[in-house]
Amino acid sequence: MEVNIQQAKEQVKNAIRAYFTKDARGEYVIPVHKQRPVLLMGPPGVGKTAIMEQVAGELGVGLVSYSMTHHTRQSALGLPFIKEEEFKGYRYSVSEYTMSEIIGSIYRLMKETGVREGVLFLDEINCVSETLAPCMLQFLQYKVFGQHRIPDGWIVVTAGNPPEYNKSVRDFDIVTWDRLKRIDIEPDYDTWRKYASSRGVHASVLTYLASRKKDFYSIESTVDGRHFVTARGWDDLSEMIALYEQNDIKVDELLIGQYIQNPKVAKNFAIYYDLFNMYRKDYRVPEILEGNAGEEVLFRAQRAALDERVSFLGLLFDAVTSQLRECCEQEKLMDRLTSLLREIKGEMDAGNPAEILEKHITGEQSEVDRRSKASSLSGDDRKAMLEVIGELEKYRAQVIKSGAKEGAEAFPIVKKGFGECLDRLKESVKRGERYLENAFTFCEEAFGSGDEILIFVTELTVNYYTARFIGHYGCDKYYLHNSELQFAERQLELEEQVRALDREL
């Protein structure tokens, strides 16, 4: 049974939680040698590696990754050496092996970071060389490379491509398959769309694929060779488009073709990107969100064709999401600062205020470094922690400048800085509320009760940041239109039930 990438991610997380379950004595309920390695089987570029990075960050466990196509028998198994043994007075030589580079990297990570539990992720597992294949099969069955077993607290997750995508794929025997926990993954646009909108994938990519889902993922053989488009390609292209725009570099078909390796799709997207930029210029979304859209913009939206309306909605949603995401990130900063300042306040009563702030700055930076080395720090968490460090450094500089030597003098300075941070959050929330209100108002005036506003509501519902913001601060127009959407969906369900009943009768 095939699953989408989100379902696969949940399956991996559940397996990790289960394998890390301990009994009353603190022993793993399922011993390491009995824990089936997870095998993610799916086409290239579908997101197998990405979900492992997300899983490690969300669960706070270590991650060691290797691509097995880069390894030889020696690097995986270890180098042989001769060791002298003795038995009943008889001395003899035996071959032993140094520790595998792969196993050694786990111990090195544990030593450097203090992380005791994690995931060993082996990519391209079914594309190993002929000389390495027997060692790999032994490892999958017994968790051992040569004489060295992976340490307790570390589970194995592997990934591979089906043979139709890779000529070097090596098939496993039934004995090996029977020791694996296999998860087959298929490309799924709707699942990727939810991930992409929450991760800030460029609006031009999202709106292009919204009406051209067939271009999301494809691999085909032609007389000119293999042409392909993958989820990874769209992700990487999106990031490059944002950087090109930031640096005022022209995005053209040559750039697009470096990531979207299907000439027809690359050309179509290049044409669309130019059109998208025209819409971005003509519709003046920032003015709409501030409630200053002119009659000319409203008139154009009312008479726009469907493709243009979808592109406009993408621009509008992208701008709203950017602001609401900023609010959610500032909330995260405030939560961490609040917790830290409670500790700092108590410590300042008995020590040098600047030194105490420096201690917490060093502690936060050490945690960032430790979790980064362990690959257990998500991008969002890293950004939040660095912003906390920035705030603490600012408070420390202000305390030093004031000459305060005691907590009674220093903490009001820190509290003032915290208050300014809180004011920025409040202002950001007000801006977010204003943007939402004005976006809904414009959509109502431009599209009435048409499908466009329901599309906008749906996007707000499935996006993590917009849903979180609305859950915290509310939005009357969202609740109104969401109720209408739910009513319409329920009506369609009832009509389908009636049709099904008619067919049965």
Side-chain angles (χ1 to χ4, degrees):
M1 177 181 177
E2 292 186 331
V3 300
N4 61 47
I5 198 70
Q6 180 60 36
Q7 292 168 324
K9 177 181 172 181
E10 290 304 313
Q11 289 295 314
V12 172
K13 289 177 72 172
N14 292 340
I16 292 174
R17 291 191 185 104
Y19 287 160
F20 286 167
T21 301
K22 298 179 181 178
D23 60 23
R25 299 186 304 276
E27 301 290 332
Y28 291 105
V29 175
I30 303 178
V32 171
H33 69 279
K34 294 280 288 180
Q35 295 173 359
R36 288 193 176 203
V38 177
L39 171 61
L40 301 173
M41 184 66 78
V46 76
K48 299 185 291 292
T49 303
I51 70 169
M52 291 314 306
E53 295 169 351
Q54 294 170 32
V55 165
E58 291 170 16
L59 295 182
V61 299
L63 177 66
V64 172
S65 301
Y66 279 98
S67 173
M68 295 313 298
T69 55
H70 300 155
H71 278 273
T72 64
R73 185 176 185 274
Q74 287 75 23
S75 62
L77 184 63
L79 293 172
F81 66 93
I82 305 301
K83 182 181 180 182
E84 292 290 325
E85 294 282 2
E86 182 179 340
F87 180 70
K88 293 185 177 181
Y90 175 70
R91 297 184 64 81
Y92 57 94
S93 299
V94 295
S95 294
E96 291 199 5
Y97 287 86
T98 60
M99 182 174 284
S100 155
E101 175 189 330
I102 296 172
I103 301 293
S105 65
I106 297 177
Y107 283 103
R108 185 163 54 250
L109 183 72
M110 293 168 68
K111 179 180 178 181
E112 292 176 352
T113 66
V115 171
R116 289 292 174 263
E117 293 182 327
V119 176
L120 172 61
F121 178 58
L122 302 178
D123 201 2
E124 308 289 354
I125 192 70
N126 55 348
C127 295
V128 295
S129 66
E130 186 174 348
T131 57
L132 183 55
C135 305
M136 204 67 251
L137 295 179
Q138 179 196 39
F139 178 75
L140 292 176
Q141 293 178 22
Y142 304 110
K143 319 294 189 308
V144 172
F145 274 129
Q147 299 165 317
H148 303 282
R149 185 185 300 276
I150 69 167
D152 288 353
W154 285 75
I155 73 165
V156 179
V157 178
T158 65
N161 300 323
E164 59 265 32
Y165 298 105
N166 196 323
K167 293 179 180 179
S168 12
V169 161
R170 185 178 303 279
D171 199 10
F172 296 146
D173 55 35
I174 293 176
V175 174
T176 304
W177 282 123
D178 195 39
R179 286 177 166 84
L180 296 173
K181 181 179 170 67
R182 176 169 172 164
I183 302 172
D184 289 293
I185 307 172
E186 63 176 352
D188 181 74
Y189 168 75
D190 291 330
T191 300
W192 178 83
R193 173 81 163 104
K194 294 176 184 177
Y195 153 83
S197 62
S198 65
R199 301 300 296 177
V201 168
H202 199 275
S204 64
V205 171
L206 294 178
T207 52
Y208 173 82
L209 292 175
S211 57
R212 299 168 182 83
K213 294 182 182 180
K214 64 181 178 59
D215 289 346
F216 166 61
Y217 194 103
S218 67
I219 298 178
E220 57 186 40
S221 297
T222 71
V223 292
D224 299 320
R226 279 205 157 186
H227 296 159
F228 58 91
V229 185
T230 68
R232 181 194 297 135
W234 288 116
D235 281 346
D236 293 347
L237 174 61
S238 164
E239 186 174 15
M240 192 56 69
I241 288 174
L243 291 172
Y244 267 47
E245 291 179 347
Q246 181 180 326
N247 290 281
D248 199 25
I249 304 173
K250 180 178 174 56
V251 174
D252 56 21
E253 190 175 342
L254 286 176
L255 172 71
I256 294 165
Q258 294 162 21
Y259 296 89
I260 308 304
Q261 299 189 42
N262 179 311
K264 183 179 178 181
V265 176
K267 186 175 187 63
N268 287 342
F269 179 73
I271 294 170
Y272 175 80
Y273 178 77
D274 290 339
L275 193 62
F276 175 87
N277 278 329
M278 183 183 74
Y279 295 152
R280 181 156 53 181
K281 179 181 178 182
D282 292 350
Y283 275 104
R284 302 194 294 274
V285 169
E287 295 178 24
I288 292 174
L289 296 182
E290 291 294 351
N292 299 324
E295 291 296 324
E296 179 186 349
V297 174
L298 182 62
F299 184 80
R300 174 164 182 170
Q302 289 170 336
R303 284 154 181 76
L306 178 61
D307 280 0
E308 183 173 333
R309 291 187 178 199
V310 170
S311 296
F312 163 71
L313 287 171
L315 284 166
L316 191 66
F317 178 74
D318 185 62
V320 170
T321 302
S322 178
Q323 177 58 39
L324 302 195
R325 178 173 183 165
E326 179 186 308
C327 293
C328 293
E329 289 173 346
Q330 287 179 322
E331 274 188 342
K332 200 169 189 177
L333 166 66
M334 294 301 299
D335 289 344
R336 181 60 182 158
L337 272 179
T338 300
S339 176
L340 280 174
L341 292 184
R342 288 196 183 104
E343 298 178 30
I344 289 170
K345 186 177 188 298
E347 293 173 13
M348 277 188 175
D349 293 335
N352 183 289
E355 291 178 358
I356 288 166
L357 285 166
E358 179 62 30
K359 182 190 77 170
H360 282 277
I361 291 168
T362 302
E364 289 294 299
Q365 187 62 60
S366 296
E367 183 66 6
V368 170
D369 295 341
R370 185 187 72 83
R371 291 180 61 186
S372 295
K373 284 182 180 178
S375 299
S376 62
L377 186 64
S378 69
D380 287 350
D381 285 344
R382 177 182 175 83
K383 181 178 179 181
M385 293 176 75
L386 291 176
E387 287 179 346
V388 167
I389 291 170
E391 282 295 313
L392 293 179
E393 287 176 336
K394 185 170 66 176
Y395 302 160
R396 178 177 174 275
Q398 291 169 345
V399 167
I400 292 174
K401 184 178 180 181
S402 72
K405 300 296 182 183
E406 296 181 359
E409 299 173 311
F411 195 75
I413 298 171
V414 173
K415 187 176 179 181
K416 180 183 177 184
F418 178 81
E420 292 171 353
C421 194
L422 181 60
D423 289 340
R424 290 195 296 272
L425 171 60
K426 290 178 179 178
E427 181 56 39
S428 184
V429 169
K430 288 180 181 178
R431 191 181 307 116
E433 292 174 333
R434 185 168 70 251
Y435 283 8
L436 268 177
E437 176 75 18
N438 290 333
F440 271 112
T441 298
F442 184 87
C443 287
E444 289 167 344
E445 293 176 353
F447 310 124
S449 58
D451 291 340
E452 292 82 3
I453 201 162
L454 297 184
I455 292 172
F456 187 64
V457 169
T458 301
E459 292 297 327
L460 291 173
T461 303
V462 300
N463 181 276
Y464 170 78
Y465 295 103
T466 55
R468 177 176 170 176
F469 182 92
I470 293 170
H472 283 193
Y473 303 105
C475 176
D476 291 341
K477 290 193 174 183
Y478 167 83
Y479 293 131
L480 172 64
H481 291 293
N482 192 40
S483 298
E484 293 172 353
L485 174 59
Q486 291 173 353
F487 176 78
E489 289 177 343
R490 179 57 181 156
Q491 189 173 27
L492 289 174
E493 289 175 7
L494 292 173
E495 290 172 357
E496 178 56 33
Q497 290 175 12
V498 171
R499 285 194 292 269
L501 186 60
D502 288 340
R503 288 194 294 268
E504 291 175 7
L505 297 176

